[in-house]
């Protein structure tokens, strides 16, 4: 008797009862024939779907078993969603996929495709993490040679388990008995994973349907137990992802990955059309850029697949992604993305209103709608194949609405009886997609219920055995282990990349550079403003990085609202400099996808305040990619943001936002703030090189008020202008990440002012006043807010013993807090004081002066500090 909650025991019992009650067909069908007379799948192909579904189901049961004795840390499973195996079968193994956390059967089927396809297996060997290569090789050997320790050769067409004939005495070696590892628990709830009295027989080993699924099962189990040997995240999270399978890890699939999918689709299509930098049509697109990335080829006609749940349809990120895909489609640009909505009708306990998901998806302009019942494998495959073919042929977006159910609740101890009726639970059990596939196979005469139950039991036994193996594997053992994959810095390689760019610009690329600048390169123009210097550096970056693209609101035709990108579209074309729709989530999503596909994206966020609309694309998507893939996937990106305060005549908090706390809190993110023109160009070159070499995600925060500033001390002095260096000077002027710049005024022995951005100009003005009073000052321009130049801070502070931190952001959560903390951590014993903005939004007009730092306030703060 089933309870009111679909526990693992209930689900296993019900499945067994269902299979046992299935009557055998009147005649056997050759597995090589269509499973039904008009089906697009053969019996053998449906058996493959069944094996993938069963592997996923047994992994879900194993997850609950591991959790029952405290060794499993993730129990969100795929039970009820196993119909997505047919979606995987309808796609190509080289179509990049971003998977929902209930897409376990999809993952299992794709891994099996790679295990049996020699070409994909060879690519796996090339792209695997070196630390795991030997382990992967052993698994591949077992699958190919029939190692009795785990698997044997894949079943031939005349598999005795399918034909009903008795196996010969030497049909296969018997797998060793159950593990000698002591049972961690005697909880009978999970007995279905290792059926009572079941031992694998020679017949089941000969069948060996589980061989292609060994790696997939081990991958998932390692994720559940947080094993450091898990192949994609290395124990940092349980995700579906592997570079060799073209599966991009997504760590929180509440729609936040959908904008990236759109960006990937746009980039795949753009790169398909480009004939530059050695990428010719037909050569394929490779993941990431620069040395060190694990590459998986994406063929020119690849499409991007992205799965998500029905509740996510309502998320702002999903709305942004659908709108962007439709907007570009309406504009005539091609984005080959297949969205797959796995609709089980629930978002944890909140129901999707009947008909809402279909109505919502059908209403998306520019997106073709397809629908299938996930409990019908033949229909699901047929519709998914039609949808994939349509997207591949037309290079346009579509959505597959896949109706599913959810078994065993949301996760862990979720008590469904609190929000679902017994009748509803029983109805879902009747629609179990794995049971539906089994019925199809039995009704068609491809297998009997008893034979399928044997496959189910054998898979369960193998999964349980693998679970016991991974229990003893190492975990991440230190903070250093955890953060090792976060954001590696290789400053020597970055410096070398800048030097190489300089050599190209002055050597073989000199002619193209002269032509791009109309015969007058920027070093011959004369002193430049900050905006002009950034513009020239962007142009040099475009010349040196063929896959670099600049995009954002108003950056192309208008040249940016402050003219920073003026003329770049005319020089480099609309394919590389283009305007986007007004949505920051989509702008960053395009950048994320483009970087993952092999481009070097430089998106612009028009104002810092607008970044907050989309900051999770940086925090939850961009900065986590290397962390949760151990560097196998990267999204190199330099995000230009116009920000900070002090605009005259155009204000209010949206255009004078002085808050950067959300950026400094993101692990691994590089935050650069150039104050002077002669810093802007080398810092931007460093960011571009770091993105290309290390896959860095950089935010290049440009002080709006300094864009067109020309003077420092007095009107007309031109001391805030600077010349643009010729390529021969780029190496000498290289600015490494995390290195400050120091200005010495007078003796520079009495006071150290630490600041950045607009504070640099104000502090230099204050230092000039103090110099007239006999005070020597060191003005330290941080230049990098993340990582902070801690060594420079400590050295320059210790030199005077008096530190004034000038922080134009807010007093609470501002940069100054980080500077003071760095000094305290280093044991600094001198005097310190802060001058910071008030904890307030920036108001309009003259009122802003009451809450922002001024040169006068800096001077007064310095005098107070010196008087101690």
């Amino acid at each position: 008797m089933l309870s009111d909650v679909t526990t693992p025991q209930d689900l296993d019992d019900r499945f067994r009862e269902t299979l046992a009650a299935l009557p055998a067909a009147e005649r056997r069908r050759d597995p090589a024939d269509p499973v039904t007379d008009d089906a697009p799948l053969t019996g053998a192909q449906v058996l493959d779907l069944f094996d993938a579904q069963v592997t996923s189901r047994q992994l879900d049961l194993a997850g609950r078993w591991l959790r029952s004795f405290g060794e499993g840390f993730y129990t969100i499973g795929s039970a009820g969603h196993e119909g997505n195996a047919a979606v995987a079968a309808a796609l190509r193994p080289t179509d990049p996929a971003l998977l929902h956390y209930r897409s376990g059967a999809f993952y299992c089927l794709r891994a099996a495709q790679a295990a049996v396809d020699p070409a994909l297996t060879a690519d796996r060997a090339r792209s695997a993490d070196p630390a795991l290569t030997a382990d992967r090789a052993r698994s591949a050997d077992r699958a190919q040679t029939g190692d009795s320790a785990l698997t044997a050769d894949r079943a031939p067409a005349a598999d005795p388990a399918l034909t009903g004939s008795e196996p010969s005495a030497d049909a296969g070696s018997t797998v060793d008995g159950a593990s000698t590892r002591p049972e961690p628990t005697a909880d009978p709830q999970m007995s279905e994973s290792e059926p009572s009295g079941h031992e694998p027989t020679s017949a089941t080993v000969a069948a060996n349907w589980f061989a292609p699924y060994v790696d997939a099962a081990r991958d998932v189990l390692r994720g559940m137990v947080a094993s450091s040997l898990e192949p994609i995240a290395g124990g940092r999270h349980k995700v579906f992802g592997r570079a060799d399978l073209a599966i991009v890890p997504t760590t929180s699939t509440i729609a936040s990955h959908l904008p990236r999918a759109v960006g990937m689709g746009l980039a795949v299509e753009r790169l398909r059309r480009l004939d530059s930098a050695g990428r010719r049509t037909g050569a394929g697109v490779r993941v990431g850029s620069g040395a060190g990335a694990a590459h998986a080829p994406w063929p020119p006609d690849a499409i991007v697949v992205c799965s998500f749940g029905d509740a996510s349809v309502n998320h702002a990120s999903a709305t942004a992604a659908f709108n962007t895909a439709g907007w570009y489609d309406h504009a005539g640009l091609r984005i080959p993305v297949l969205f797959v909505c796995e609709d089980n009708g629930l978002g944890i306990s909140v129901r999707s209103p009947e008909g809402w998901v279909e109505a919502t998806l059908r209403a998306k302009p520019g997106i073709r709608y397809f629908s299938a019942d996930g409990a019908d494998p033949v229909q699901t495959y047929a519709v998914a194949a039609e949808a994939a073919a349509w997207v591949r042929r037309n290079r346009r977006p579509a959505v597959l609405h896949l109706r599913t159910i959810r078994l065993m609740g949301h996760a862990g101890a979720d008590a469904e009886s609190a929000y679902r009726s017994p009748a509803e639970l029983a109805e879902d059990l009747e629609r179990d997609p794995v049971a539906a596939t089994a019925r199809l196979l039995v009704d068609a005469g491809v297998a009997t219920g008893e034979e399928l139950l044997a496959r189910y039991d054998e898979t369960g036994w193998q999964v349980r055995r693998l679970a016991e193996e991974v229990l003893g594997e190492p975990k991440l053992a230190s903070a250093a282990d955890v953060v090792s994959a976060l954001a590696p810095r290789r400053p020597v390689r970055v410096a070398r990349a800048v030097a190489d760019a300089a050599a190209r610009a002055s050597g073989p690329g000199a002619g193209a550079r002269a032509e791009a600048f109309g015969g007058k390169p920027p070093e011959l123009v004369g002193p430049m403003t900050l905006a002009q210097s950034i513009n020239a550096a962007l142009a040099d970056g475009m010349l040196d990085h063929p896959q670099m693209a600049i995009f954002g609101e108003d950056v192309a035709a208008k040249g940016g609202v402050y003219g920073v990108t003026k003329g770049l579209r005319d020089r480099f074309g609309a394919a590389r400099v283009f305007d986007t729709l007004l949505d920051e989530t989509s702008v960053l999503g395009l950048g994320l996808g483009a970087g993952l596909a092999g481009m070097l994206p430089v998106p612009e966020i028009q104002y810092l305040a607008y970044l907050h609309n989309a900051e999770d694309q940086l925090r939850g998507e961009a900065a986590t990619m290397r962390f949760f893939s151990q560097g196998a996937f990267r999204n190199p990106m330099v995000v230009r943001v116009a920000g900070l305060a002090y605009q005259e005549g155009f204000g209010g908090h949206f255009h004078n936002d002085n808050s950067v706390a959300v950026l400094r809190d993101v692990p691994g993110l590089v935050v650069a703030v150039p104050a002077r023109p002669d810093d802007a160009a080398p810092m931007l070159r460093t960011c571009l090189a770091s993105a290309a070499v290390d896959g860095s995600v950089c935010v290049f925060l440009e002080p709006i008020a300094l864009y067109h500033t020309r003077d420092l001390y007095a009107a007309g002095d031109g001391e805030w202008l600077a010349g643009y260096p010729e390529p021969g000077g780029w190496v000498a002027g290289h600015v490494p990440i995390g290195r400050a710049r120091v200005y010495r005024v007078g003796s520079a022995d009495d006071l150290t002012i630490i600041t950045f951005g607009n504070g640099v100009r104000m502090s230099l003005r204050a230092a000039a006043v103090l110099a007239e009073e006999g005070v020597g000052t060191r003005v330290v321009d941080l230049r990098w807010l993340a990582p902070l130049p801690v060594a420079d801070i400590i050295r320059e502070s210790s030199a005077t013993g008096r530190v004034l931190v000038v922080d134009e952001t807010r007093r609470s959560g501002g940069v100054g807090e980080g500077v003071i903390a760095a000094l305290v951590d280093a044991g600094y014993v001198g005097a310190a004081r802060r001058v910071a903005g008030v904890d307030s939004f920036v108001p309009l007009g003259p009122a802003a002066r009451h809450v922002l730092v001024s040169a006068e306030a800096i001077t007064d703060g310095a005098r107070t500090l010196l008087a101690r």
Side-chain angles (χ1 to χ4, degrees):
M1 186 74 173
L2 294 174
S3 68
D4 293 342
V5 183
T6 53
T7 65
Q9 186 69 53
D10 293 332
L11 196 57
D12 180 66
D13 287 346
R14 180 59 174 258
F15 187 75
R16 291 174 176 281
E17 291 173 6
T18 299
L19 262 60
L22 293 176
E26 294 183 359
R27 65 180 181 86
R28 297 300 295 245
R29 183 185 295 264
D30 186 340
D33 292 338
V35 70
T36 59
D37 292 342
D38 58 349
L41 291 169
T42 66
Q45 288 173 313
V46 177
L47 276 169
D48 286 340
L49 296 181
F50 179 78
D51 291 337
Q53 292 177 329
V54 167
T55 302
S56 179
R57 177 66 58 84
Q58 292 288 7
L59 285 168
D60 288 348
L61 300 179
R64 301 300 179 104
W65 173 68
L66 290 165
R67 182 69 184 92
S68 71
F69 53 92
E71 290 288 349
F73 307 101
Y74 196 92
T75 54
I76 295 178
S78 302
H81 284 240
E82 292 91 350
N84 54 46
V87 179
L91 293 162
R92 296 177 184 171
T94 49
D95 289 330
L98 299 92
L99 297 183
H100 182 47
Y101 48 47
R102 299 196 191 277
S103 297
F106 184 114
Y107 183 80
C108 290
L109 189 93
R110 178 162 288 192
Q113 290 172 328
V116 300
D117 186 324
L120 292 175
T121 301
D123 183 69
R124 290 174 62 195
R126 286 193 299 271
S127 62
D129 186 326
L132 302 173
T133 300
D135 182 70
R136 287 263 181 248
R138 285 192 293 272
S139 298
D141 287 345
R142 288 166 177 160
Q144 295 297 320
T145 65
D147 183 344
S148 63
L150 276 179
T151 60
D153 291 333
R154 188 166 175 78
D159 184 343
L162 301 181
T163 62
S165 61
E166 290 296 322
S168 63
D170 60 350
S173 302
T174 302
V175 175
D176 295 339
S179 171
T180 58
R181 179 184 176 89
E183 287 292 333
T185 179
D187 186 352
Q189 176 173 291
M190 287 307 300
S191 63
E192 70 279 7
S193 288
E194 189 172 14
S196 176
H198 171 68
E199 291 292 339
T201 67
S202 59
T204 58
V205 174
N208 189 31
W209 49 82
F210 188 66
Y213 300 96
V214 171
D215 277 353
R218 188 184 288 109
D219 292 348
V220 174
L221 290 166
R222 281 173 164 166
M224 290 177 179
V225 302
S227 165
S228 61
L229 299 182
E230 192 272 332
I232 190 70
R236 293 168 182 82
H237 196 32
K238 187 267 184 185
V239 296
F240 294 128
R242 259 179 42 198
D244 55 305
L245 301 182
I247 296 179
V248 180
T250 57
T251 59
S252 180
T253 50
I254 312 301
S256 60
H257 60 307
L258 270 66
R260 181 200 294 277
V262 176
M264 289 169 66
L266 181 66
V268 165
E269 187 61 13
R270 282 183 178 270
L271 289 171
R272 188 173 78 94
R273 296 166 181 262
L274 284 178
D275 182 17
S276 59
R279 268 198 182 93
R280 300 191 177 278
T281 303
V285 177
R286 290 190 174 273
V287 178
S289 60
H295 297 303
W298 298 354
D301 63 345
I303 68 172
V304 178
V305 61
C306 176
S307 60
F308 55 98
D310 55 288
S312 294
V313 166
N314 306 298
H315 199 280
S317 296
T319 299
F322 292 137
N323 185 68
T324 302
W327 188 87
Y328 276 113
D329 186 77
H330 186 78
L333 298 176
R334 296 299 176 233
I335 298 184
V337 177
L338 177 61
F339 299 102
V340 180
C341 178
E342 299 186 15
D343 180 6
N344 63 26
L346 290 162
I348 304 183
S349 66
V350 179
R351 299 174 187 272
S352 294
E354 184 66 30
W356 170 252
V357 175
E358 179 177 352
T360 300
L361 295 177
R362 281 187 179 277
K364 301 299 182 186
I367 300 178
R368 179 80 173 265
Y369 177 84
F370 296 87
S371 177
D373 180 1
D376 183 339
V378 172
Q379 185 204 46
T380 297
Y381 174 84
V383 174
E386 180 187 2
W390 188 88
V391 173
R392 200 179 309 279
R393 180 175 62 254
N394 295 288
R395 318 304 293 169
R396 297 176 63 189
V399 61
L400 170 59
H401 183 193
L402 186 66
R403 292 174 176 83
T404 66
I405 57 172
R406 190 186 72 189
L407 301 174
M408 295 196 295
H410 174 70
D414 178 31
E416 290 184 288
S417 57
Y419 55 89
R420 303 185 73 190
S421 68
E424 184 181 358
L425 293 170
E427 183 180 348
D428 272 2
L429 281 166
E430 290 293 336
R431 296 188 62 239
D432 182 346
V434 186
T437 304
R439 289 190 192 96
L440 173 63
L441 289 166
V442 173
D443 290 347
V446 176
T448 67
E450 182 180 355
E451 290 163 358
L452 295 181
L453 183 57
R455 290 173 96 95
Y456 175 79
D457 282 344
E458 176 67 20
T459 300
W461 185 86
Q462 295 280 14
V463 167
R464 181 66 160 280
R465 192 162 179 271
L466 288 171
E468 291 178 346
E469 286 181 8
V470 302
L471 278 175
E473 292 184 348
K475 307 292 192 293
L476 293 169
S478 67
D481 287 345
V482 173
V483 303
S484 61
L486 180 61
R489 300 273 179 261
R490 294 180 290 185
V492 173
R493 293 193 184 187
V494 170
R496 187 183 304 138
V498 171
D500 291 344
R504 287 188 291 269
S506 59
R513 185 170 184 264
E515 181 181 353
F517 284 107
K520 192 173 184 179
E523 57 266 26
L524 300 181
V525 170
M528 290 184 168
T529 63
L530 180 71
Q532 291 169 331
S533 182
I534 294 172
N535 179 277
L538 286 170
D540 270 324
M542 293 286 278
L543 288 165
D544 193 59
H545 299 279
Q547 301 307 324
M548 178 174 159
I550 297 171
F551 52 90
E553 301 159 20
D554 302 304
V555 304
K558 184 178 176 63
V561 293
Y562 295 98
V564 180
T565 56
K566 185 177 181 180
L568 294 179
R569 187 184 69 168
D570 294 338
R571 292 180 192 173
F572 300 103
R576 298 186 65 196
V577 181
F578 57 93
D579 290 322
T580 65
L581 71 175
L582 195 155
D583 176 56
E584 287 72 26
T585 295
S586 296
V587 171
L588 292 179
L590 291 175
L592 289 169
L596 195 67
M599 297 180 69
L600 181 54
V602 183
E604 178 188 287
I605 301 298
Q606 200 165 82
Y607 289 101
L608 177 59
Y610 301 163
L611 177 67
H612 303 305
N613 301 332
E615 60 197 29
D616 187 55
Q617 291 295 300
L618 286 179
R619 182 200 66 84
E621 292 292 316
T624 61
M625 180 52 69
R626 285 197 66 107
F627 185 70
F628 289 120
S629 72
Q630 302 183 91
F633 290 100
R634 318 183 312 174
N635 34 231
M637 185 165 63
V638 179
V639 184
R640 293 183 46 253
V641 184
L644 302 177
Y646 300 98
Q647 283 198 87
E648 294 293 336
F650 185 51
H653 73 283
F654 270 115
H655 302 99
N656 279 290
D657 187 14
N658 63 343
S659 174
V660 298
V662 70
L663 294 173
R664 294 193 63 249
D665 186 53
V666 179
L669 192 70
V670 174
V671 181
V673 183
R676 287 185 52 85
D678 47 346
D679 277 334
M683 289 174 69
L684 183 54
R685 275 193 289 274
T686 297
C687 287
L688 292 171
S690 182
V693 170
D694 289 330
S696 302
V697 181
C698 305
V699 173
F700 199 74
L701 181 57
E702 303 163 5
I704 298 172
L706 298 179
Y707 268 150
H708 306 298
T709 297
R710 306 177 66 87
D711 307 319
L712 174 55
Y713 301 114
D717 66 18
E719 292 202 31
W720 207 253
L721 302 173
Y724 189 89
E726 62 180 359
W730 292 0
V731 173
H734 173 57
V735 178
I737 291 175
R739 291 305 308 270
R741 178 174 181 175
V742 181
Y743 300 85
R744 289 173 170 80
V745 181
S747 67
D749 293 334
D750 302 311
L751 174 69
T752 300
I753 298 178
I754 299 177
T755 188
F756 64 95
N758 295 286
V760 178
R761 183 169 179 269
M762 290 186 292
S763 294
L764 288 172
R765 292 165 67 94
V769 173
L770 293 170
E772 294 176 358
E773 301 172 8
V775 176
T777 305
R778 299 169 183 237
V779 176
V780 180
D781 178 3
L782 294 171
R783 298 195 293 197
W784 308 92
L785 304 188
L788 281 172
V790 174
D792 296 330
I793 290 171
I794 296 167
R795 183 188 64 251
E796 299 301 324
S797 299
S798 300
T800 64
R802 297 185 186 89
V803 176
L804 182 67
V805 180
V806 175
D807 181 2
E808 65 176 285
T809 64
R810 299 166 192 166
R811 192 169 189 85
S812 298
V815 176
E817 290 182 343
V819 173
I820 296 295
L823 290 171
V824 172
D825 289 345
Y828 172 75
V829 295
R833 182 180 177 86
R834 276 194 299 162
V835 176
V838 175
D839 289 346
S840 169
F841 299 104
V842 179
L844 187 66
R849 299 169 190 167
H850 299 302
V851 298
L852 296 175
V853 173
S854 66
E856 292 74 21
I858 297 170
T859 306
D860 291 343
R863 289 172 178 148
T864 300
L865 183 62
L866 291 164
R868 288 186 179 179

